[in-house]
Amino acid sequence: MDEFMQEAINQARKSLSEGGIPIGSSLVKNGELVASGHNKRVQENNPILHGEMDCLNNAGRVGSFRNTVIYSTLMPCYMCAGTIVQFKIPKVIVGESRTFLGAREFMEQHGVEVIDLDLPECVDMMNQFIAEKPTLWNEDIGEL
């Protein structure tokens, strides 16, 4: 497995171990890891601190994002996809989209290349979390 997706998965597992939602992300620029992060909505009581948002926040000011790739264990939602489009991140590599379809079409319509790896490890992690904490999951995706 790609080391950057593995980092995103490690971040998702970290979030889960902290009582949060198991979604992780990593940002790569010129083939090097710039930052990683995970969903901290629960841990920091912050409704917009999704995995991708935490990762980008941790990256800080990197100048142009045009030669970056963002990895996420789950297909980004519209909020995160909007940020990806706004920052002109050209490529998103996703662990899975079976448990959440997200905003793939939106990103692609704005020129973002989206690669869905459909990794069983990511699918299993989300399926287990959703089964164990459906209310928390529905809150995260705005379905409560």
Side-chain angles (χ1 to χ4, degrees):
M1 178 183 306
D2 181 305
E3 66 184 290
F4 306 121
M5 179 54 72
Q6 186 60 58
E7 173 61 17
I9 291 169
N10 293 345
Q11 288 291 315
R13 293 200 180 286
K14 181 177 181 183
S15 183
L16 186 61
S17 74
E18 296 170 351
I21 297 157
I23 301 168
S25 182
S26 61
L27 182 70
V28 176
K29 185 172 185 175
N30 298 322
E32 298 204 10
L33 183 67
V34 173
S36 57
H38 58 274
N39 188 302
K40 292 182 181 170
R41 291 185 71 252
V42 173
Q43 299 93 314
E44 296 192 16
N45 197 31
N46 183 332
I48 63 170
L49 205 47
H50 287 193
E52 299 89 345
M53 303 302 264
D54 184 49
C55 177
L56 291 169
N57 185 56
N58 292 338
R61 296 179 61 209
V62 299
S64 173
F65 285 87
R66 292 177 196 260
N67 55 349
T68 62
V69 177
I70 193 162
Y71 288 73
S72 181
T73 57
L74 187 65
M75 186 66 70
C77 70
Y78 280 94
M79 176 181 68
C80 296
T83 302
I84 289 164
V85 168
Q86 177 68 33
F87 289 174
K88 296 179 176 47
I89 296 172
K91 187 176 192 177
V92 178
I93 300 178
V94 179
E96 68 103 353
S97 63
R98 283 195 234 175
T99 61
F100 182 72
L101 294 176
R104 178 181 191 144
E105 186 176 328
F106 171 79
M107 290 185 287
E108 289 176 337
Q109 287 172 343
H110 288 86
V112 177
E113 179 185 3
V114 179
I115 298 171
D116 185 347
L117 301 175
D118 194 31
L119 297 173
E121 182 175 2
C122 293
V123 174
D124 294 345
M125 183 167 36
M126 285 308 301
N127 275 331
Q128 183 175 350
F129 175 78
I130 293 166
E132 292 174 1
K133 298 186 178 183
T135 303
L136 185 55
W137 173 242
N138 285 321
E139 176 189 332
D140 191 60
I141 61 172
E143 296 295 326
L144 253 189

mmCIF file with all atom_site columns, all heavy atoms in Angstrom, residues 4-5 12 14 16 23 26 29 31-32 37 45 49-50 55 59 62 82 84 95 100 103 107 117 120 130-131 135:
data_model
loop_
_atom_site.group_PDB
_atom_site.id
_atom_site.type_symbol
_atom_site.label_atom_id
_atom_site.label_alt_id
_atom_site.label_comp_id
_atom_site.label_asym_id
_atom_site.label_entity_id
_atom_site.label_seq_id
_atom_site.pdbx_PDB_ins_code
_atom_site.Cartn_x
_atom_site.Cartn_y
_atom_site.Cartn_z
_atom_site.occupancy
_atom_site.B_iso_or_equiv
_atom_site.pdbx_formal_charge
_atom_site.auth_seq_id
_atom_site.auth_comp_id
_atom_site.auth_asym_id
_atom_site.auth_atom_id
_atom_site.pdbx_PDB_model_num
ATOM 1   N N   . PHE A 1 4   ? 1.447   7.044  1.835  1.00 0.00 ? 4   PHE A N   1
ATOM 2   C CA  . PHE A 1 4   ? 0.643   8.207  2.192  1.00 0.00 ? 4   PHE A CA  1
ATOM 3   C C   . PHE A 1 4   ? -0.794  7.808  2.537  1.00 0.00 ? 4   PHE A C   1
ATOM 4   O O   . PHE A 1 4   ? -1.400  8.394  3.425  1.00 0.00 ? 4   PHE A O   1
ATOM 5   C CB  . PHE A 1 4   ? 0.678   9.240  1.076  1.00 0.00 ? 4   PHE A CB  1
ATOM 6   C CG  . PHE A 1 4   ? 2.093   9.620  0.695  1.00 0.00 ? 4   PHE A CG  1
ATOM 7   C CD1 . PHE A 1 4   ? 2.557   9.433  -0.595 1.00 0.00 ? 4   PHE A CD1 1
ATOM 8   C CD2 . PHE A 1 4   ? 2.964   10.147 1.644  1.00 0.00 ? 4   PHE A CD2 1
ATOM 9   C CE1 . PHE A 1 4   ? 3.860   9.767  -0.943 1.00 0.00 ? 4   PHE A CE1 1
ATOM 10  C CE2 . PHE A 1 4   ? 4.276   10.489 1.314  1.00 0.00 ? 4   PHE A CE2 1
ATOM 11  C CZ  . PHE A 1 4   ? 4.714   10.290 0.018  1.00 0.00 ? 4   PHE A CZ  1
ATOM 12  N N   . MET A 1 5   ? -1.307  6.779  1.851  1.00 0.00 ? 5   MET A N   1
ATOM 13  C CA  . MET A 1 5   ? -2.619  6.256  2.239  1.00 0.00 ? 5   MET A CA  1
ATOM 14  C C   . MET A 1 5   ? -2.500  5.548  3.582  1.00 0.00 ? 5   MET A C   1
ATOM 15  O O   . MET A 1 5   ? -3.391  5.641  4.423  1.00 0.00 ? 5   MET A O   1
ATOM 16  C CB  . MET A 1 5   ? -3.181  5.316  1.165  1.00 0.00 ? 5   MET A CB  1
ATOM 17  C CG  . MET A 1 5   ? -4.552  4.735  1.544  1.00 0.00 ? 5   MET A CG  1
ATOM 18  S SD  . MET A 1 5   ? -5.830  5.960  1.997  1.00 0.00 ? 5   MET A SD  1
ATOM 19  C CE  . MET A 1 5   ? -6.188  6.668  0.399  1.00 0.00 ? 5   MET A CE  1
ATOM 20  N N   . ALA A 1 12  ? -6.810  7.805  10.808 1.00 0.00 ? 12  ALA A N   1
ATOM 21  C CA  . ALA A 1 12  ? -8.196  7.390  11.065 1.00 0.00 ? 12  ALA A CA  1
ATOM 22  C C   . ALA A 1 12  ? -8.264  6.517  12.317 1.00 0.00 ? 12  ALA A C   1
ATOM 23  O O   . ALA A 1 12  ? -9.144  6.696  13.167 1.00 0.00 ? 12  ALA A O   1
ATOM 24  C CB  . ALA A 1 12  ? -8.748  6.632  9.855  1.00 0.00 ? 12  ALA A CB  1
ATOM 25  N N   . LYS A 1 14  ? -6.180  6.571  14.776 1.00 0.00 ? 14  LYS A N   1
ATOM 26  C CA  . LYS A 1 14  ? -5.901  7.454  15.910 1.00 0.00 ? 14  LYS A CA  1
ATOM 27  C C   . LYS A 1 14  ? -7.180  8.162  16.358 1.00 0.00 ? 14  LYS A C   1
ATOM 28  O O   . LYS A 1 14  ? -7.476  8.231  17.550 1.00 0.00 ? 14  LYS A O   1
ATOM 29  C CB  . LYS A 1 14  ? -4.832  8.482  15.533 1.00 0.00 ? 14  LYS A CB  1
ATOM 30  C CG  . LYS A 1 14  ? -4.472  9.426  16.653 1.00 0.00 ? 14  LYS A CG  1
ATOM 31  C CD  . LYS A 1 14  ? -3.354  10.373 16.243 1.00 0.00 ? 14  LYS A CD  1
ATOM 32  C CE  . LYS A 1 14  ? -3.010  11.288 17.413 1.00 0.00 ? 14  LYS A CE  1
ATOM 33  N NZ  . LYS A 1 14  ? -1.987  12.266 17.058 1.00 0.00 ? 14  LYS A NZ  1
ATOM 34  N N   . LEU A 1 16  ? -10.235 7.162  15.930 1.00 0.00 ? 16  LEU A N   1
ATOM 35  C CA  . LEU A 1 16  ? -11.090 6.149  16.546 1.00 0.00 ? 16  LEU A CA  1
ATOM 36  C C   . LEU A 1 16  ? -10.645 5.867  17.978 1.00 0.00 ? 16  LEU A C   1
ATOM 37  O O   . LEU A 1 16  ? -11.472 5.782  18.894 1.00 0.00 ? 16  LEU A O   1
ATOM 38  C CB  . LEU A 1 16  ? -11.069 4.869  15.708 1.00 0.00 ? 16  LEU A CB  1
ATOM 39  C CG  . LEU A 1 16  ? -12.015 3.757  16.128 1.00 0.00 ? 16  LEU A CG  1
ATOM 40  C CD1 . LEU A 1 16  ? -13.472 4.213  16.063 1.00 0.00 ? 16  LEU A CD1 1
ATOM 41  C CD2 . LEU A 1 16  ? -11.806 2.530  15.233 1.00 0.00 ? 16  LEU A CD2 1
ATOM 42  N N   . ILE A 1 23  ? -11.743 8.870  10.322 1.00 0.00 ? 23  ILE A N   1
ATOM 43  C CA  . ILE A 1 23  ? -11.422 9.373  8.989  1.00 0.00 ? 23  ILE A CA  1
ATOM 44  C C   . ILE A 1 23  ? -10.094 10.107 9.093  1.00 0.00 ? 23  ILE A C   1
ATOM 45  O O   . ILE A 1 23  ? -9.919  10.981 9.943  1.00 0.00 ? 23  ILE A O   1
ATOM 46  C CB  . ILE A 1 23  ? -12.517 10.313 8.454  1.00 0.00 ? 23  ILE A CB  1
ATOM 47  C CG1 . ILE A 1 23  ? -13.870 9.583  8.395  1.00 0.00 ? 23  ILE A CG1 1
ATOM 48  C CG2 . ILE A 1 23  ? -12.134 10.833 7.063  1.00 0.00 ? 23  ILE A CG2 1
ATOM 49  C CD1 . ILE A 1 23  ? -15.054 10.481 8.157  1.00 0.00 ? 23  ILE A CD1 1
ATOM 50  N N   . SER A 1 26  ? -3.943  12.779 4.539  1.00 0.00 ? 26  SER A N   1
ATOM 51  C CA  . SER A 1 26  ? -2.556  13.218 4.448  1.00 0.00 ? 26  SER A CA  1
ATOM 52  C C   . SER A 1 26  ? -2.397  14.070 3.192  1.00 0.00 ? 26  SER A C   1
ATOM 53  O O   . SER A 1 26  ? -3.098  13.872 2.198  1.00 0.00 ? 26  SER A O   1
ATOM 54  C CB  . SER A 1 26  ? -1.587  12.033 4.448  1.00 0.00 ? 26  SER A CB  1
ATOM 55  O OG  . SER A 1 26  ? -1.813  11.173 3.355  1.00 0.00 ? 26  SER A OG  1
ATOM 56  N N   . LYS A 1 29  ? 3.216   16.907 -1.142 1.00 0.00 ? 29  LYS A N   1
ATOM 57  C CA  . LYS A 1 29  ? 3.660   17.912 -2.108 1.00 0.00 ? 29  LYS A CA  1
ATOM 58  C C   . LYS A 1 29  ? 5.010   17.478 -2.645 1.00 0.00 ? 29  LYS A C   1
ATOM 59  O O   . LYS A 1 29  ? 5.921   17.173 -1.874 1.00 0.00 ? 29  LYS A O   1
ATOM 60  C CB  . LYS A 1 29  ? 3.771   19.282 -1.438 1.00 0.00 ? 29  LYS A CB  1
ATOM 61  C CG  . LYS A 1 29  ? 4.111   20.402 -2.399 1.00 0.00 ? 29  LYS A CG  1
ATOM 62  C CD  . LYS A 1 29  ? 4.005   21.765 -1.725 1.00 0.00 ? 29  LYS A CD  1
ATOM 63  C CE  . LYS A 1 29  ? 4.234   22.863 -2.759 1.00 0.00 ? 29  LYS A CE  1
ATOM 64  N NZ  . LYS A 1 29  ? 4.029   24.201 -2.176 1.00 0.00 ? 29  LYS A NZ  1
ATOM 65  N N   . GLY A 1 31  ? 5.909   14.739 -3.837 1.00 0.00 ? 31  GLY A N   1
ATOM 66  C CA  . GLY A 1 31  ? 6.257   13.394 -3.399 1.00 0.00 ? 31  GLY A CA  1
ATOM 67  C C   . GLY A 1 31  ? 6.644   13.255 -1.943 1.00 0.00 ? 31  GLY A C   1
ATOM 68  O O   . GLY A 1 31  ? 7.094   12.198 -1.525 1.00 0.00 ? 31  GLY A O   1
ATOM 69  N N   . GLU A 1 32  ? 6.465   14.319 -1.146 1.00 0.00 ? 32  GLU A N   1
ATOM 70  C CA  . GLU A 1 32  ? 6.822   14.262 0.274  1.00 0.00 ? 32  GLU A CA  1
ATOM 71  C C   . GLU A 1 32  ? 5.623   14.614 1.146  1.00 0.00 ? 32  GLU A C   1
ATOM 72  O O   . GLU A 1 32  ? 4.845   15.506 0.813  1.00 0.00 ? 32  GLU A O   1
ATOM 73  C CB  . GLU A 1 32  ? 7.971   15.228 0.561  1.00 0.00 ? 32  GLU A CB  1
ATOM 74  C CG  . GLU A 1 32  ? 9.217   14.857 -0.216 1.00 0.00 ? 32  GLU A CG  1
ATOM 75  C CD  . GLU A 1 32  ? 10.485  15.364 0.435  1.00 0.00 ? 32  GLU A CD  1
ATOM 76  O OE1 . GLU A 1 32  ? 10.445  15.840 1.576  1.00 0.00 ? 32  GLU A OE1 1
ATOM 77  O OE2 . GLU A 1 32  ? 11.527  15.253 -0.233 1.00 0.00 ? 32  GLU A OE2 1
ATOM 78  N N   . GLY A 1 37  ? -3.744  14.505 9.247  1.00 0.00 ? 37  GLY A N   1
ATOM 79  C CA  . GLY A 1 37  ? -4.722  14.887 10.251 1.00 0.00 ? 37  GLY A CA  1
ATOM 80  C C   . GLY A 1 37  ? -5.853  13.891 10.280 1.00 0.00 ? 37  GLY A C   1
ATOM 81  O O   . GLY A 1 37  ? -5.906  12.959 9.466  1.00 0.00 ? 37  GLY A O   1
ATOM 82  N N   . ASN A 1 45  ? -14.922 19.221 19.722 1.00 0.00 ? 45  ASN A N   1
ATOM 83  C CA  . ASN A 1 45  ? -16.260 19.825 19.689 1.00 0.00 ? 45  ASN A CA  1
ATOM 84  C C   . ASN A 1 45  ? -16.346 20.878 18.576 1.00 0.00 ? 45  ASN A C   1
ATOM 85  O O   . ASN A 1 45  ? -16.852 21.977 18.772 1.00 0.00 ? 45  ASN A O   1
ATOM 86  C CB  . ASN A 1 45  ? -16.610 20.437 21.051 1.00 0.00 ? 45  ASN A CB  1
ATOM 87  C CG  . ASN A 1 45  ? -18.095 20.703 21.189 1.00 0.00 ? 45  ASN A CG  1
ATOM 88  O OD1 . ASN A 1 45  ? -18.914 19.996 20.616 1.00 0.00 ? 45  ASN A OD1 1
ATOM 89  N ND2 . ASN A 1 45  ? -18.432 21.733 21.943 1.00 0.00 ? 45  ASN A ND2 1
ATOM 90  N N   . LEU A 1 49  ? -14.226 20.303 11.719 1.00 0.00 ? 49  LEU A N   1
ATOM 91  C CA  . LEU A 1 49  ? -12.880 19.729 11.760 1.00 0.00 ? 49  LEU A CA  1
ATOM 92  C C   . LEU A 1 49  ? -12.882 18.284 11.261 1.00 0.00 ? 49  LEU A C   1
ATOM 93  O O   . LEU A 1 49  ? -12.576 17.342 11.975 1.00 0.00 ? 49  LEU A O   1
ATOM 94  C CB  . LEU A 1 49  ? -12.288 19.841 13.161 1.00 0.00 ? 49  LEU A CB  1
ATOM 95  C CG  . LEU A 1 49  ? -10.760 19.849 13.248 1.00 0.00 ? 49  LEU A CG  1
ATOM 96  C CD1 . LEU A 1 49  ? -10.127 20.805 12.238 1.00 0.00 ? 49  LEU A CD1 1
ATOM 97  C CD2 . LEU A 1 49  ? -10.329 20.227 14.643 1.00 0.00 ? 49  LEU A CD2 1
ATOM 98  N N   . HIS A 1 50  ? -13.214 18.146 9.973  1.00 0.00 ? 50  HIS A N   1
ATOM 99  C CA  . HIS A 1 50  ? -13.145 16.845 9.305  1.00 0.00 ? 50  HIS A CA  1
ATOM 100 C C   . HIS A 1 50  ? -11.679 16.485 9.082  1.00 0.00 ? 50  HIS A C   1
ATOM 101 O O   . HIS A 1 50  ? -10.787 17.316 9.255  1.00 0.00 ? 50  HIS A O   1
ATOM 102 C CB  . HIS A 1 50  ? -13.878 16.902 7.970  1.00 0.00 ? 50  HIS A CB  1
ATOM 103 C CG  . HIS A 1 50  ? -15.368 16.946 8.108  1.00 0.00 ? 50  HIS A CG  1
ATOM 104 N ND1 . HIS A 1 50  ? -16.206 16.736 7.043  1.00 0.00 ? 50  HIS A ND1 1
ATOM 105 C CD2 . HIS A 1 50  ? -16.165 17.171 9.172  1.00 0.00 ? 50  HIS A CD2 1
ATOM 106 C CE1 . HIS A 1 50  ? -17.465 16.823 7.440  1.00 0.00 ? 50  HIS A CE1 1
ATOM 107 N NE2 . HIS A 1 50  ? -17.465 17.091 8.731  1.00 0.00 ? 50  HIS A NE2 1
ATOM 108 N N   . CYS A 1 55  ? -6.052  18.097 8.349  1.00 0.00 ? 55  CYS A N   1
ATOM 109 C CA  . CYS A 1 55  ? -4.805  17.910 7.608  1.00 0.00 ? 55  CYS A CA  1
ATOM 110 C C   . CYS A 1 55  ? -4.346  19.231 6.990  1.00 0.00 ? 55  CYS A C   1
ATOM 111 O O   . CYS A 1 55  ? -3.174  19.617 7.134  1.00 0.00 ? 55  CYS A O   1
ATOM 112 C CB  . CYS A 1 55  ? -5.010  16.850 6.523  1.00 0.00 ? 55  CYS A CB  1
ATOM 113 S SG  . CYS A 1 55  ? -3.573  16.572 5.484  1.00 0.00 ? 55  CYS A SG  1
ATOM 114 N N   . ALA A 1 59  ? -1.072  21.565 7.768  1.00 0.00 ? 59  ALA A N   1
ATOM 115 C CA  . ALA A 1 59  ? -0.100  21.913 6.727  1.00 0.00 ? 59  ALA A CA  1
ATOM 116 C C   . ALA A 1 59  ? 0.288   23.386 6.795  1.00 0.00 ? 59  ALA A C   1
ATOM 117 O O   . ALA A 1 59  ? 1.417   23.750 6.479  1.00 0.00 ? 59  ALA A O   1
ATOM 118 C CB  . ALA A 1 59  ? -0.657  21.584 5.345  1.00 0.00 ? 59  ALA A CB  1
ATOM 119 N N   . VAL A 1 62  ? 1.399   26.669 2.634  1.00 0.00 ? 62  VAL A N   1
ATOM 120 C CA  . VAL A 1 62  ? 2.374   25.954 1.807  1.00 0.00 ? 62  VAL A CA  1
ATOM 121 C C   . VAL A 1 62  ? 2.558   26.633 0.451  1.00 0.00 ? 62  VAL A C   1
ATOM 122 O O   . VAL A 1 62  ? 3.140   26.040 -0.450 1.00 0.00 ? 62  VAL A O   1
ATOM 123 C CB  . VAL A 1 62  ? 1.976   24.470 1.610  1.00 0.00 ? 62  VAL A CB  1
ATOM 124 C CG1 . VAL A 1 62  ? 1.919   23.740 2.933  1.00 0.00 ? 62  VAL A CG1 1
ATOM 125 C CG2 . VAL A 1 62  ? 0.676   24.339 0.851  1.00 0.00 ? 62  VAL A CG2 1
ATOM 126 N N   . GLY A 1 82  ? -15.181 21.358 -1.395 1.00 0.00 ? 82  GLY A N   1
ATOM 127 C CA  . GLY A 1 82  ? -15.140 22.778 -1.720 1.00 0.00 ? 82  GLY A CA  1
ATOM 128 C C   . GLY A 1 82  ? -13.786 23.381 -1.409 1.00 0.00 ? 82  GLY A C   1
ATOM 129 O O   . GLY A 1 82  ? -13.259 24.203 -2.166 1.00 0.00 ? 82  GLY A O   1
ATOM 130 N N   . ILE A 1 84  ? -10.949 21.697 -1.306 1.00 0.00 ? 84  ILE A N   1
ATOM 131 C CA  . ILE A 1 84  ? -10.028 21.107 -2.282 1.00 0.00 ? 84  ILE A CA  1
ATOM 132 C C   . ILE A 1 84  ? -10.104 21.879 -3.599 1.00 0.00 ? 84  ILE A C   1
ATOM 133 O O   . ILE A 1 84  ? -9.075  22.236 -4.193 1.00 0.00 ? 84  ILE A O   1
ATOM 134 C CB  . ILE A 1 84  ? -10.345 19.605 -2.476 1.00 0.00 ? 84  ILE A CB  1
ATOM 135 C CG1 . ILE A 1 84  ? -9.924  18.828 -1.219 1.00 0.00 ? 84  ILE A CG1 1
ATOM 136 C CG2 . ILE A 1 84  ? -9.694  19.045 -3.730 1.00 0.00 ? 84  ILE A CG2 1
ATOM 137 C CD1 . ILE A 1 84  ? -10.513 17.431 -1.106 1.00 0.00 ? 84  ILE A CD1 1
ATOM 138 N N   . GLY A 1 95  ? -9.621  6.255  0.083  1.00 0.00 ? 95  GLY A N   1
ATOM 139 C CA  . GLY A 1 95  ? -9.639  4.869  0.520  1.00 0.00 ? 95  GLY A CA  1
ATOM 140 C C   . GLY A 1 95  ? -10.896 4.132  0.119  1.00 0.00 ? 95  GLY A C   1
ATOM 141 O O   . GLY A 1 95  ? -10.838 2.965  -0.265 1.00 0.00 ? 95  GLY A O   1
ATOM 142 N N   . PHE A 1 100 ? -19.952 6.129  2.104  1.00 0.00 ? 100 PHE A N   1
ATOM 143 C CA  . PHE A 1 100 ? -20.343 7.534  1.948  1.00 0.00 ? 100 PHE A CA  1
ATOM 144 C C   . PHE A 1 100 ? -19.926 7.976  0.552  1.00 0.00 ? 100 PHE A C   1
ATOM 145 O O   . PHE A 1 100 ? -18.739 7.988  0.234  1.00 0.00 ? 100 PHE A O   1
ATOM 146 C CB  . PHE A 1 100 ? -19.660 8.390  3.024  1.00 0.00 ? 100 PHE A CB  1
ATOM 147 C CG  . PHE A 1 100 ? -20.024 9.844  2.976  1.00 0.00 ? 100 PHE A CG  1
ATOM 148 C CD1 . PHE A 1 100 ? -21.291 10.276 3.361  1.00 0.00 ? 100 PHE A CD1 1
ATOM 149 C CD2 . PHE A 1 100 ? -19.091 10.789 2.553  1.00 0.00 ? 100 PHE A CD2 1
ATOM 150 C CE1 . PHE A 1 100 ? -21.622 11.623 3.323  1.00 0.00 ? 100 PHE A CE1 1
ATOM 151 C CE2 . PHE A 1 100 ? -19.419 12.131 2.516  1.00 0.00 ? 100 PHE A CE2 1
ATOM 152 C CZ  . PHE A 1 100 ? -20.685 12.553 2.901  1.00 0.00 ? 100 PHE A CZ  1
ATOM 153 N N   . ALA A 1 103 ? -18.630 13.842 -2.435 1.00 0.00 ? 103 ALA A N   1
ATOM 154 C CA  . ALA A 1 103 ? -18.776 14.856 -3.477 1.00 0.00 ? 103 ALA A CA  1
ATOM 155 C C   . ALA A 1 103 ? -17.843 14.611 -4.668 1.00 0.00 ? 103 ALA A C   1
ATOM 156 O O   . ALA A 1 103 ? -17.263 15.538 -5.220 1.00 0.00 ? 103 ALA A O   1
ATOM 157 C CB  . ALA A 1 103 ? -18.520 16.231 -2.877 1.00 0.00 ? 103 ALA A CB  1
ATOM 158 N N   . MET A 1 107 ? -16.174 17.450 -7.353 1.00 0.00 ? 107 MET A N   1
ATOM 159 C CA  . MET A 1 107 ? -14.737 17.665 -7.531 1.00 0.00 ? 107 MET A CA  1
ATOM 160 C C   . MET A 1 107 ? -14.327 17.456 -8.985 1.00 0.00 ? 107 MET A C   1
ATOM 161 O O   . MET A 1 107 ? -13.582 18.263 -9.555 1.00 0.00 ? 107 MET A O   1
ATOM 162 C CB  . MET A 1 107 ? -13.930 16.754 -6.593 1.00 0.00 ? 107 MET A CB  1
ATOM 163 C CG  . MET A 1 107 ? -14.053 17.139 -5.132 1.00 0.00 ? 107 MET A CG  1
ATOM 164 S SD  . MET A 1 107 ? -13.004 16.171 -4.023 1.00 0.00 ? 107 MET A SD  1
ATOM 165 C CE  . MET A 1 107 ? -13.857 14.588 -4.007 1.00 0.00 ? 107 MET A CE  1
ATOM 166 N N   . LEU A 1 117 ? -9.644  3.995  -4.299 1.00 0.00 ? 117 LEU A N   1
ATOM 167 C CA  . LEU A 1 117 ? -8.941  2.716  -4.192 1.00 0.00 ? 117 LEU A CA  1
ATOM 168 C C   . LEU A 1 117 ? -9.830  1.578  -3.716 1.00 0.00 ? 117 LEU A C   1
ATOM 169 O O   . LEU A 1 117 ? -9.464  0.417  -3.845 1.00 0.00 ? 117 LEU A O   1
ATOM 170 C CB  . LEU A 1 117 ? -7.742  2.871  -3.244 1.00 0.00 ? 117 LEU A CB  1
ATOM 171 C CG  . LEU A 1 117 ? -6.701  3.906  -3.648 1.00 0.00 ? 117 LEU A CG  1
ATOM 172 C CD1 . LEU A 1 117 ? -5.631  4.033  -2.562 1.00 0.00 ? 117 LEU A CD1 1
ATOM 173 C CD2 . LEU A 1 117 ? -6.071  3.582  -4.993 1.00 0.00 ? 117 LEU A CD2 1
ATOM 174 N N   . PRO A 1 120 ? -10.578 -2.518 1.231  1.00 0.00 ? 120 PRO A N   1
ATOM 175 C CA  . PRO A 1 120 ? -11.382 -3.236 2.225  1.00 0.00 ? 120 PRO A CA  1
ATOM 176 C C   . PRO A 1 120 ? -11.125 -2.757 3.656  1.00 0.00 ? 120 PRO A C   1
ATOM 177 O O   . PRO A 1 120 ? -12.055 -2.681 4.463  1.00 0.00 ? 120 PRO A O   1
ATOM 178 C CB  . PRO A 1 120 ? -10.973 -4.699 2.040  1.00 0.00 ? 120 PRO A CB  1
ATOM 179 C CG  . PRO A 1 120 ? -10.501 -4.768 0.623  1.00 0.00 ? 120 PRO A CG  1
ATOM 180 C CD  . PRO A 1 120 ? -9.854  -3.436 0.345  1.00 0.00 ? 120 PRO A CD  1
ATOM 181 N N   . ILE A 1 130 ? -19.968 2.783  11.845 1.00 0.00 ? 130 ILE A N   1
ATOM 182 C CA  . ILE A 1 130 ? -21.360 3.162  11.587 1.00 0.00 ? 130 ILE A CA  1
ATOM 183 C C   . ILE A 1 130 ? -22.306 2.223  12.332 1.00 0.00 ? 130 ILE A C   1
ATOM 184 O O   . ILE A 1 130 ? -23.312 2.673  12.903 1.00 0.00 ? 130 ILE A O   1
ATOM 185 C CB  . ILE A 1 130 ? -21.648 3.185  10.076 1.00 0.00 ? 130 ILE A CB  1
ATOM 186 C CG1 . ILE A 1 130 ? -20.852 4.321  9.418  1.00 0.00 ? 130 ILE A CG1 1
ATOM 187 C CG2 . ILE A 1 130 ? -23.140 3.325  9.794  1.00 0.00 ? 130 ILE A CG2 1
ATOM 188 C CD1 . ILE A 1 130 ? -20.786 4.251  7.898  1.00 0.00 ? 130 ILE A CD1 1
ATOM 189 N N   . ALA A 1 131 ? -21.999 0.934  12.361 1.00 0.00 ? 131 ALA A N   1
ATOM 190 C CA  . ALA A 1 131 ? -22.843 -0.034 13.074 1.00 0.00 ? 131 ALA A CA  1
ATOM 191 C C   . ALA A 1 131 ? -22.833 0.217  14.580 1.00 0.00 ? 131 ALA A C   1
ATOM 192 O O   . ALA A 1 131 ? -23.861 0.085  15.243 1.00 0.00 ? 131 ALA A O   1
ATOM 193 C CB  . ALA A 1 131 ? -22.377 -1.461 12.770 1.00 0.00 ? 131 ALA A CB  1
ATOM 194 N N   . THR A 1 135 ? -25.670 7.167  15.534 1.00 0.00 ? 135 THR A N   1
ATOM 195 C CA  . THR A 1 135 ? -26.085 8.537  15.822 1.00 0.00 ? 135 THR A CA  1
ATOM 196 C C   . THR A 1 135 ? -24.929 9.509  15.588 1.00 0.00 ? 135 THR A C   1
ATOM 197 O O   . THR A 1 135 ? -25.100 10.565 14.978 1.00 0.00 ? 135 THR A O   1
ATOM 198 C CB  . THR A 1 135 ? -26.620 8.666  17.263 1.00 0.00 ? 135 THR A CB  1
ATOM 199 O OG1 . THR A 1 135 ? -27.709 7.748  17.421 1.00 0.00 ? 135 THR A OG1 1
ATOM 200 C CG2 . THR A 1 135 ? -27.092 10.075 17.558 1.00 0.00 ? 135 THR A CG2 1
#
